[in-house]
Amino acid sequence: MSQSFPTISDQKQPQAWAITPNSQALAQLAKGIWDCAVQTNQRPLVVLSTAGPLVGVRAALEQNRPKDLPSSIAFLPQVISFTDWLEAAPGAWKFPKKQTDLERWLSVFVNLRKHKTLQAWFKAESEAGAWGLAQAVIDACDTLSEAVIPQLQGELNELLQTHALDTETWLKKVELVLDQAIAKAYVGLSRNVVDEESAVLLTFWRYLSSVGDPVIRKHLAMAAHMQLAKSNAENQHSNVRPFIWVQTADPKPVDQELIDRYLNEYAQYAPVVRGDLDWGSVALWSEALCGFDADGHIASANPAEDSQVSSNIQANRHDDWRLLAARRFEELAWAATKSIESHLIAGKKNIALVAQDRLAARRTRALLSRLGSALRIRDETGWKLSTTRAAAAFDSWLELIRAPKEGPSASALLEFLQNPHFDLPYSLNKPPEACIGLLAQLEDILIASQAKSGWETFLMAIERANKYAASNGGSPNEHLIDLIKFVRRLHIAWQHLSVDCSSAYDLLQKNLKETGMAGRLESDAAGKQLLEVLDSFNLNSGVYSNLKMRLPEWLSLLKTVIEEATYEEAGKEAQATLSILPLSSTRLRQFDAVVLVGCDEQQLPAFSEPPLFFSDTLNRYLKSSTVAAQYVQQARDLSQLLVSCEQVDLLWQSKSKSGEPLRPSAWIQRLQTQLKDWKAIEVKPETYEGKSQPLQMSVSVPDKDLAIPVTVSPSAYKALRDCPYRYYVSSLLGLRKAKEFEEGFDASLAGQTLHALLKTFFQALKTEDEKSHSPIHDGADGRRQWMIEHLMKCSENEFERLIAGDARVLGTLRDWQKQIPSFVDWQIQRENEGWRYHDAELTVGFTLSLSDPDGVQRDIRIAGRADRFDIHQSDGNAAAVIDYKNQKMKKIVDRAENILDDPQLLIYARAASENAVAAHIPGRIVSQAEWVSLRADLDKGGDKSIRAYAVENMPELMAEFSEQITQDLNTLWARKPMQAFAPDSVCQYCEARGICRKGMW
Ligand code: SF4
């Protein structure tokens, strides 16, 4: 039972006050605090051990303000959390400088370098893992300090009396005391820890502990407060402000001892009241009632305590506690959403969603977002800053910095450039209109050329695209080159930087400004918080500012710190508030209704990750938090929650992912044994019925307003032949899948390079042929030798830049160089048949005239770029077209079998024959066409057939093809239905598959 506030006496020891943690707890607290003010005629100082109930206590104080208070105590009593109280210690400015988290991590790093014994430990860790381990080391060192430093309290108190000394001398004294204490404790602790891991940790502790540690500052702050109380008491002889300590959560044993001792001493100078929570009438389970025995184990209940628990359950049972079981995850989130909705409909304004199952809570939150701004959602579970768009944008820049000196991958580059915080016009110093579509164009070029990584590769791809655009009536875009050069400049600066903490920070800030990201992040809520986190890296005046490290180490430190940071959403006024919070945050807070998701046996209770270094036994020895303590605390928190709130929905998923049944938490089952009528309700989502029509094969009739292209490339015509529907989607609707780069190097840009080098080589051969004294005329062997050498050299030259961008291309070059002798043999054989290289890379085309259904005359241009034309030496009318294929012969043979569906060579042949002047072969007809493989199977010998494959029956095929293309284009212009049909081999790589829904019909 709750006790009324004690009568303040001057017995110079803390007075106990028991607070019942039920729905009236805040009112009881407030009344007691006012009572203290009235009794002592002083404004008491109230310190809460945790900050959660702060707002509630202040509000309750306001509501319970006694009438007719004398003016001296009319102000609201001061209520403050323990952490804030420490920060407000008198003379805190003189304390040793507080180390930031970052500085503490860096101190681990420095000690690792200094002490060989510690290094072995971190060897196996990646950079990110090492920083994570550093964090665990710091936590463990704090645990050790917490166990040891309380014994120093007396000395610290004394030291504070010499506070008047100059700060430096005083700090030296504090340091000395700490060193002595640690050295002494180290010997004692070493005896107790035998394993190597703990021994290394103790070594760390010895090296890392400093006067700037939070534990030391905490004790200094407590001593400073004590000092003030003492001097006040001595100066005024009486009437020192009363001090009320409210223990809102179970303390760790070490903290319990500390605060007990502290309050006892404080009571010598001021009235002290210690408020503890009394679980007598609230505990719903024996562990919540009994806590721990003297050995630190969970105490077992005696019969009287058992019956107390039983009567608590009966007395506190609310009719509106509901048990809701859902079978699947989605159903669980849906049921939680419905629960919250029903509370909102019932007019509840302040609702809690306890995220025992964090995933389900997140999903519920997403489902609730459709309620819009009428519901304010406050997520107290710690939304990670790293999950925000701003952090992802920033991360894309870090990935770019991390890239090797040759340059990033194209996906990393595009990821960065396409992030919404990158200000393209600002970066290039160009008007926004000039930048419209620039990134899309860059993406197109990189994808089309399969330029996958490296600055040189990107530049080459753009230069090629610009050159092509210039020679084909398009407009080259120089801004693309500027853009690549801009990012490359920023990237190179990192490669040349000798990284120390402050120069890396300065360069990063400079980057953010130059890319316009600083400005854009500043105007974004998460971005602003991200910039604040980055500010913590500004170590300009600190001891670690010149600390050198490798770039990957610094980057992963940066990433780890961002990963640790939480994002706080800005609150908005709304008709109702939903707080998403962990169970521990519900302590001494009031809600109109509570929904608890994740009440299954696996998630309730939930234990925090065990510390990396200490066993539970060692933790008990160090009087730190143990698994048992967490268990008892959660039993108490849940008891308090159920007892204080009438409307509590307890939800869980009754089937695990693997399909195994999941029972509710043991605590719920134990309550059910006492509350026989408290049954779980199986929730099922509302289902709607409807009839669907089976899907039919997709067919589309082009709308009369849909423009039909008047130019057709060989590949577009192939698409039309393969599947009209696919042509409809890609060429008429212009839909294109957002492409991604596949892993591994694709030879496309290398393929283009091969084409280019062959052209260069054959032009050189032509010139050489005209020189009468050239070694090329020294018989067949001399000619062969010359060709091999020059082709080798040409290849090295053309590939040089590509290799500078991506070293993996070297493999492609070497493969090609192996092909050269056999390729030259094929060329010589061809020359022996009378064929001579004539020209390469020529755009050729022909025009088809047809009338559309409206009788309008349409000229359709069929055009493409032919790889090479040869002419016959002895037949003045004969010419040949050649298409190089960077593929195996087998594929070429397959292609030849279906030439009418992929009539690229026939298109070139007709185009060159019809317009011989444009093809630079005036007076000749293309009578021969062949594919030449650049990846022949060399182990199949030197036979010509391993490299070239000629089109057979050219004249018949040409006639058939001409008739076919006329008919196809007439059908297209007649806007006849375009059906989806194609063999699976075509559909397998079709981008339109998601639209035609092949597989559904
Ligand atoms: S998936 Fe097959 S049927 Fe469908 S559009 Fe593509 S090629 Fe045609």
Side-chain angles (χ1 to χ4, degrees):
M1 286 303 289
S2 65
Q3 293 167 12
S4 54
F5 192 77
T7 309
I8 305 284
S9 66
D10 54 359
Q11 53 188 282
K12 294 207 182 298
Q13 59 183 23
Q15 288 175 268
W17 174 30
I19 302 150
T20 307
N22 57 16
S23 60
Q24 297 307 308
L26 288 178
Q28 191 199 342
L29 249 173
K31 284 180 188 154
I33 295 168
W34 281 120
D35 189 352
C36 176
V38 172
Q39 283 190 54
T40 56
N41 201 23
Q42 292 269 345
R43 187 169 168 246
L45 168 66
V46 184
V47 180
L48 307 183
S49 71
T50 57
L54 213 54
V55 178
V57 175
R58 288 194 188 127
L61 278 169
E62 200 58 69
Q63 281 162 12
N64 293 281
R65 179 192 287 274
K67 290 200 175 70
D68 308 325
L69 279 175
S71 61
S72 56
I73 53 169
F75 275 130
L76 215 57
Q78 185 184 5
V79 186
I80 190 167
S81 71
F82 183 48
T83 318
D84 290 348
W85 180 68
L86 293 176
E87 285 300 314
W93 59 271
K94 241 186 172 185
F95 292 173
K97 192 180 160 293
K98 190 173 174 178
Q99 281 198 314
T100 62
D101 287 348
L102 180 63
E103 285 170 330
R104 301 190 76 200
W105 292 21
L106 290 172
S107 73
V108 177
F109 182 82
V110 169
N111 275 291
L112 265 179
R113 284 200 180 161
K114 270 203 251 160
H115 306 289
K116 287 260 175 295
T117 44
L118 304 177
Q119 276 167 16
W121 245 39
F122 278 74
K123 252 191 195 144
E125 295 293 331
S126 62
E127 272 109 20
W131 289 118
L133 192 55
Q135 169 74 57
V137 167
I138 289 168
D139 291 346
C141 287
D142 280 350
T143 309
L144 287 169
S145 297
E146 273 180 356
V148 170
I149 307 301
Q151 291 142 30
L152 277 186
Q153 195 68 47
E155 283 174 83
L156 291 179
N157 286 350
E158 259 173 47
L159 270 175
L160 271 172
Q161 291 176 3
T162 59
H163 210 179
L165 290 174
D166 81 276
T167 317
E168 228 163 87
T169 325
W170 182 76
L171 280 181
K172 285 225 164 71
K173 278 190 150 198
V174 178
E175 230 172 286
L176 190 71
V177 170
L178 176 71
D179 278 352
Q180 284 170 351
I182 286 180
K184 206 168 116 203
Y186 175 74
V187 177
L189 283 168
S190 313
R191 265 188 233 117
N192 282 291
V193 288
V194 281
D195 58 311
E196 193 199 352
E197 188 180 279
S198 304
V200 175
L201 190 69
L202 274 179
T203 320
F204 258 118
W205 179 60
R206 249 182 104 167
Y207 296 137
L208 288 186
S209 297
S210 87
V211 286
D213 285 358
V215 184
I216 301 284
R217 281 182 62 91
K218 170 173 147 182
H219 286 270
L220 281 172
M222 290 174 77
H225 277 296
M226 180 76 77
Q227 192 73 29
L228 180 71
K230 188 177 171 191
S231 70
N232 281 350
E234 282 167 1
N235 294 339
Q236 298 167 17
H237 302 293
S238 62
N239 289 344
V240 183
R241 259 172 115 187
F243 181 84
I244 303 178
W245 171 263
V246 185
Q247 190 68 52
T248 47
D250 294 348
K252 289 187 283 191
V254 66
D255 290 337
Q256 173 89 43
E257 279 177 25
L258 173 73
I259 205 71
D260 282 349
R261 257 205 314 271
Y262 189 80
L263 295 181
N264 272 328
E265 199 176 335
Y266 205 98
Q268 308 309 311
Y269 315 115
V272 172
V273 176
R274 182 195 167 109
D276 279 297
L277 302 182
D278 174 9
W279 298 98
S281 60
V282 172
L284 300 180
W285 301 281
S286 56
E287 53 272 30
L289 180 68
C290 309
F292 295 95
D293 61 18
D295 300 331
H297 298 293
I298 296 175
S300 41
N302 59 32
E305 287 165 334
D306 274 337
S307 77
Q308 175 67 45
V309 168
S310 301
S311 74
N312 285 352
I313 294 173
Q314 298 303 336
N316 289 305
R317 159 66 155 140
H318 293 300
D319 291 340
D320 287 329
W321 290 352
R322 290 194 298 171
L323 272 181
L324 305 170
R327 289 166 71 84
R328 279 183 283 273
F329 174 81
E330 273 300 324
E331 290 175 11
L332 177 69
W334 173 86
T337 311
K338 283 280 158 199
S339 291
I340 293 166
E341 272 180 12
S342 67
H343 293 312
L344 290 170
I345 291 167
K348 307 272 189 261
K349 298 267 184 263
N350 183 15
I351 302 169
L353 172 62
V354 179
Q356 207 64 24
D357 179 338
R358 287 171 78 106
L359 272 183
R362 281 275 145 84
R363 180 76 187 119
T364 308
R365 182 202 162 119
L367 291 173
L368 283 168
S369 57
R370 70 204 151 95
L371 296 183
S373 58
L375 178 68
R376 173 189 175 198
I377 300 181
R378 289 183 50 212
D379 195 336
E380 298 177 29
T381 54
W383 187 291
K384 283 204 177 254
L385 185 60
S386 58
T387 59
T388 61
R389 199 171 56 159
F394 179 71
D395 193 56
S396 69
W397 177 239
L398 295 190
E399 281 305 312
L400 227 135
I401 297 177
R402 201 188 270 276
K405 67 178 188 320
E406 289 80 16
S409 70
S411 11
L413 175 70
L414 290 172
E415 179 98 20
F416 165 68
L417 293 176
Q418 288 167 346
N419 92 66
H421 294 87
F422 170 61
D423 191 339
L424 181 58
Y426 177 87
S427 302
L428 294 185
N429 197 15
K430 297 273 179 314
E433 317 74 74
C435 300
I436 294 170
L438 198 64
L439 294 181
Q441 202 180 347
L442 176 67
E443 187 179 5
D444 278 350
I445 292 173
L446 297 188
I447 288 175
S449 59
Q450 288 289 300
K452 290 191 173 171
S453 68
W455 298 120
E456 278 306 315
T457 317
F458 302 149
L459 288 171
M460 250 176 104
I462 297 169
E463 283 164 14
R464 288 232 167 112
N466 276 351
K467 206 164 136 201
Y468 182 81
S471 58
N472 285 277
S475 46
N477 196 335
E478 284 308 316
H479 295 343
L480 289 169
I481 300 275
D482 296 344
L483 176 60
I484 298 292
K485 287 188 174 163
F486 167 76
V487 189
R488 183 175 67 173
R489 178 173 62 77
L490 302 189
H491 175 247
I492 287 176
W494 284 97
Q495 309 302 313
H496 293 156
L497 184 78
S498 134
V499 180
D500 63 51
C501 288
S502 63
S503 61
Y505 171 80
D506 292 343
L507 185 54
L508 184 68
Q509 289 293 347
K510 197 164 153 245
N511 288 168
L512 292 180
K513 285 206 180 77
E514 282 182 84
T515 53
M517 285 180 75
R520 291 197 173 177
L521 286 170
E522 190 64 47
S523 54
D524 173 277
K528 222 171 171 170
Q529 290 178 35
L530 178 74
L531 290 176
E532 280 162 19
V533 173
L534 293 185
D535 272 350
S536 67
F537 275 78
N538 186 359
L539 299 171
N540 275 342
S541 52
V543 279
Y544 298 115
S545 64
N546 294 323
L547 179 62
K548 292 227 176 300
M549 56 177 84
R550 292 183 305 116
L551 181 60
E553 281 169 342
W554 188 79
L555 288 175
S556 82
L557 172 64
L558 192 62
K559 278 193 171 195
T560 315
V561 169
I562 293 172
E563 193 55 42
E564 292 286 309
T566 47
Y567 167 58
E568 283 160 32
E569 273 178 295
K572 286 179 257 109
E573 277 309 304
Q575 291 169 32
T577 303
L578 174 77
S579 306
I580 305 177
L581 68 190
L583 180 61
S584 60
S585 294
T586 59
R587 243 171 253 156
L588 290 180
R589 286 172 64 179
Q590 285 174 340
F591 298 99
D592 300 337
V594 175
V595 175
L596 217 148
V597 275
C599 301
D600 55 80
E601 54 191 343
Q602 289 176 357
Q603 299 190 89
L604 184 69
F607 300 105
S608 54
E609 287 275 306
L612 204 53
F613 301 113
F614 298 143
S615 63
D616 220 38
T617 326
L618 197 55
N619 264 324
R620 202 167 293 140
Y621 171 75
L622 293 170
K623 300 174 187 166
S624 188
S625 173
T626 57
V627 172
Q630 292 180 38
Y631 177 71
V632 168
Q633 183 66 65
Q634 288 179 65
R636 291 183 166 169
D637 288 340
L638 188 60
S639 293
Q640 181 182 162
L641 182 71
L642 285 166
V643 169
S644 321
C645 187
E646 290 188 9
Q647 302 257 355
V648 181
D649 294 334
L650 301 158
L651 289 91
W652 78 96
Q653 192 178 329
S654 57
K655 270 214 177 347
S656 70
K657 262 192 221 144
S658 55
E660 295 293 316
L662 266 182
R663 288 175 304 174
S665 160
W667 284 327
I668 295 178
Q669 293 182 51
R670 280 159 69 186
L671 286 184
Q672 281 183 302
T673 56
Q674 305 239 4
L675 304 170
K676 300 283 182 222
D677 58 337
W678 197 37
K679 296 263 180 325
I681 305 163
E682 184 85 25
V683 287
K684 290 204 179 75
E686 294 157 23
T687 50
Y688 300 93
E689 277 189 13
K691 283 218 171 94
S692 61
Q693 299 245 319
L695 270 178
Q696 302 292 330
M697 182 185 274
S698 298
V699 182
S700 251
V701 182
D703 189 273
K704 71 175 176 24
D705 294 328
L706 192 64
I708 296 179
V710 287
T711 57
V712 178
S713 66
S715 59
Y717 182 63
K718 178 176 183 305
L720 180 66
R721 291 290 306 167
D722 280 347
C723 171
Y725 192 84
R726 177 177 176 177
Y727 180 83
Y728 169 77
V729 170
S730 60
S731 295
L732 299 193
L733 298 182
L735 297 179
R736 205 193 68 180
K737 193 170 140 193
K739 286 191 186 165
E740 285 178 0
F741 287 90
E742 294 138 27
E743 275 302 302
F745 179 72
D746 180 288
S748 280
L749 197 53
Q752 292 174 28
T753 309
L754 275 177
H755 280 64
L757 76 88
L758 283 171
K759 181 175 177 178
T760 317
F761 166 73
F762 280 113
Q763 293 297 94
L765 177 66
K766 241 170 128 179
T767 318
E768 196 68 22
D769 268 336
E770 278 158 25
K771 295 182 190 161
S772 51
H773 300 300
S774 166
I776 209 163
H777 304 302
D778 298 347
D781 282 350
R783 186 175 178 83
R784 182 173 186 269
Q785 204 48 39
W786 186 95
M787 283 165 82
I788 292 178
E789 274 169 24
H790 275 74
L791 193 47
M792 288 280 182
K793 212 153 99 210
C794 247
S795 307
E796 299 270 352
N797 289 347
E798 285 281 342
F799 268 91
E800 193 180 7
R801 220 175 142 197
L802 208 56
I803 292 167
D806 185 344
R808 291 173 299 175
V809 185
L810 187 60
T812 313
L813 169 64
R814 294 289 175 249
D815 285 348
W816 159 242
Q817 285 181 322
K818 278 187 212 144
Q819 297 269 332
I820 288 179
S822 146
F823 180 83
V824 167
D825 288 344
W826 164 79
Q827 172 64 23
I828 289 176
Q829 205 174 344
R830 189 164 171 76
E831 287 176 356
N832 292 342
E833 287 165 12
W835 292 107
R836 286 289 178 276
Y837 166 85
H838 185 65
D839 212 338
E841 311 269 316
L842 283 180
T843 302
V844 288
F846 62 94
T847 306
L848 270 184
S849 289
L850 49 91
S851 315
D852 72 8
D854 300 329
V856 181
Q857 187 72 19
R858 304 279 182 182
D859 285 342
I860 321 290
R861 179 109 184 119
I862 325 291
R865 206 141 94 125
D867 285 347
R868 162 173 162 182
F869 286 107
D870 281 5
I871 51 173
H872 203 278
Q873 255 188 335
S874 47
D875 182 349
N877 292 328
V881 61
I882 287 178
D883 195 41
Y884 295 130
K885 289 282 172 225
N886 197 19
Q887 46 188 220
K888 300 254 183 222
M889 218 41 203
K890 161 97 180 52
K891 279 210 164 174
I892 293 178
V893 175
D894 292 347
R895 192 181 279 270
E897 277 167 15
N898 300 304
I899 187 166
L900 283 174
D901 287 333
D902 184 8
Q904 193 185 15
L905 276 176
L906 303 182
I907 291 174
Y908 299 147
R910 176 170 168 182
S913 303
E914 280 185 15
N915 200 347
V917 176
H920 304 175
I921 49 166
R924 292 179 186 256
I925 296 280
V926 176
S927 53
Q928 202 228 27
E930 68 180 55
W931 293 278
V932 173
S933 164
L934 302 180
R935 281 173 62 193
D937 261 332
L938 294 177
D939 46 7
K940 293 214 170 132
D943 184 3
K944 177 182 169 182
S945 66
I946 65 155
R947 186 159 301 278
Y949 195 93
V951 177
E952 287 163 9
N953 305 328
M954 272 284 277
E956 291 86 355
L957 272 175
M958 288 300 284
E960 212 177 318
F961 157 66
S962 294
E963 200 178 312
Q964 171 190 293
I965 193 167
T966 310
Q967 196 183 342
D968 286 339
L969 294 180
N970 268 316
T971 314
L972 176 67
W973 279 91
R975 297 177 192 269
K976 297 239 172 85
M978 303 182 82
Q979 203 161 31
F981 69 83
D984 283 348
S985 57
V986 172
C987 299
Q988 198 179 352
Y989 302 106
C990 175
E991 291 184 352
R993 191 175 186 125
I995 303 172
C996 90
R997 315 288 291 269
K998 169 127 190 202
M1000 300 284 186
W1001 33 268

